[in-house]
Amino acid sequence: MANELEPTTDPGQPVVYQIRLKGHLGADWAGWFGGLTITLEEDGDTLLAGPVADQSALHGLLKKCVI
């Protein structure tokens, strides 16, 4: 038996990411992160979650988070 890892994701499907931000984002930010769910956590953080098409899209999303 070969010791090979089997992929657990479908390469044709976007990967779902969760990004935690310090502080709560206002409702007006929802348009900036279209397609992602924005959850305001009890600890004061904001959780962005949802599918991201590829690494380029992830990079663009992360750039928005540091503005």
Side-chain angles (χ1 to χ4, degrees):
M1 178 183 285
N3 187 13
E4 295 180 30
L5 295 176
E6 292 184 32
T8 58
T9 59
D10 180 354
Q13 296 296 317
V15 177
V16 175
Y17 285 91
Q18 292 184 346
I19 300 169
R20 186 170 300 277
L21 303 174
K22 190 167 189 77
H24 280 167
L25 292 180
D28 51 326
W29 285 92
W32 255 61
F33 299 108
L36 296 181
T37 301
I38 299 175
T39 305
L40 304 179
E41 300 285 315
E42 289 183 19
D43 65 359
D45 289 348
T46 299
L47 182 66
L48 304 175
V52 178
D54 55 27
Q55 286 184 344
S56 177
L58 177 60
H59 181 76
L61 176 62
L62 292 173
K63 282 181 66 172
K64 286 182 180 182
C65 292
V66 295
I67 290 178

